[in-house]
Amino acid sequence: MTAPVLVAASHGTSDPAGQRAVAALVVAVAVRAPEISVVEAFVDVQQPDVPAVLTSVAADSVVIVPLLLSAGYHVRVDLARVASAAPNPQVTVAAALGPDPRLVSLLERRLRAHPLEPDDEIVLAAAGSSDARAVDDCRAMADALGSRLGRDVTAAFISAAQPPLPEAIAQARAGGATRVIVATYLLAPGYFADLAAAAGGDITTPPLLLDGETVPDELVDVVFERYREAHVSGVLPTPLDAAARV
C-alpha cells in the first residue's frame, strides 16, 4: 500500500533566511523517509499554496502536516477547509507541531548557550492567536520550559494575545530582573522573529530553525509523529468560528 503524500505546509515568509531554514526542514523530512513523497506548500506569503499543491498531487491519500507551532486559525479553519474541498479522495490535516516536550528541549538548548543567573527572568515569545486554545498551548510550553529550567517562565505574545511581548519584558525588568531573556518560540527567521528581537530583551534566543544550521532531529521527529498520528486517525481539526482570524 502506497504511503500518503506528506504535504509540509508552513506559514510562508518573505525573509530569505526564513525561507531557506524552512526548506531545509522539508528536505530533512524527505531524506529521513525516502519512501514517502514529501511536498512543500504554504499557507500565506509564498507559493505554491496548499490548494495548488493538492491539485497537482496525483495521490488518493494526503496528510497535510502544518509546520506551525500552535493550532490557530490557519490549522483549524484554513487547512481544514482546503482539505474538505480537495480533489484527492482522502486528505487529512495533522495536528500542529506544538506543544511538545521535544520543542521544549530545543528552547532549552537555545537558552543554555547563555548561562543563566539567579535573577534572570525568562519570557517565552510566541506568535499569538485569537484562538484561546492556541494561546493556552503556548502557555503550556512556557510552563513546561519553566519546569525544565527550575524557574518561572512567562508566556508573552507578538500579536493577538495578552500580554504583549514588550509589556511582559518591561514588567519583568520593573520586578527587579538583572536580565530579561527572551526565548523565541517561533519556527524560523522572519518578520515576527525580528519583532521579538526588537522587543527590548537583554538577550533574545534565535528561532528553532536557523539558516545554515543543521535541522534538529527533534523537529523532524515531531513532523513524522504528526504525520503518522493523522494517517492512523484520519481526523480533521474542528473548524473555529470564522472571526478567529489568526
Side-chain angles (χ1 to χ4, degrees):
M1 182 176 179
T2 303
V5 171
L6 191 165
V7 174
S10 62
H11 181 277
T13 178
S14 59
D15 185 296
Q19 293 174 359
R20 292 190 294 268
V22 174
L25 172 59
V26 177
V27 169
V29 169
V31 168
R32 173 81 68 86
E35 72 280 5
I36 298 172
S37 177
V38 178
V39 185
E40 188 172 27
F42 304 94
V43 176
D44 199 0
V45 184
Q46 291 178 253
Q47 294 294 324
D49 62 18
V50 180
V53 166
L54 292 177
T55 300
S56 68
V57 168
D60 290 341
S61 182
V62 178
V63 173
I64 302 171
V65 179
L67 302 185
L68 302 167
L69 297 180
S70 60
Y73 183 86
H74 287 314
V75 175
R76 297 183 183 276
V77 177
D78 281 340
L79 293 178
R81 286 176 178 165
V82 167
S84 65
N88 319 77
Q90 182 179 3
V91 180
T92 305
V93 181
L97 302 182
D100 191 279
R102 289 161 291 192
L103 303 185
V104 176
S105 296
L106 295 181
L107 290 166
E108 181 184 18
R109 190 181 308 161
R110 293 292 195 206
L111 286 167
R112 294 298 186 191
H114 309 278
L116 300 178
E117 302 294 337
D119 292 332
D120 288 342
E121 290 287 339
I122 299 172
V123 178
L124 182 79
S129 175
S130 56
D131 176 5
R133 290 167 291 186
V135 173
D136 287 344
D137 284 346
C138 294
R139 292 191 174 119
M141 284 292 294
D143 291 343
L145 180 61
S147 296
R148 190 78 61 88
L149 297 172
R151 60 173 71 210
D152 290 338
V153 174
T154 301
F157 302 93
I158 298 166
S159 174
Q162 297 293 323
L165 178 59
E167 181 180 306
I169 293 170
Q171 288 177 347
R173 189 166 285 120
T178 302
R179 299 183 302 178
V180 180
I181 301 176
V182 176
T184 302
Y185 185 48
L186 299 169
L187 186 63
Y191 178 64
F192 272 24
D194 291 343
L195 290 178
D202 296 291
I203 296 171
T204 303
T205 64
L208 303 184
L209 291 170
L210 275 182
D211 181 28
E213 277 192 357
T214 301
V215 173
D217 287 338
E218 294 95 331
L219 266 177
V220 179
D221 292 341
V222 174
V223 170
F224 275 114
E225 185 168 297
R226 299 295 180 263
Y227 170 83
R228 289 191 296 269
E229 290 169 345
H231 179 38
V232 170
S233 68
V235 175
L236 291 170
T238 302
L240 294 173
D241 184 279
R245 297 302 307 175
V246 179

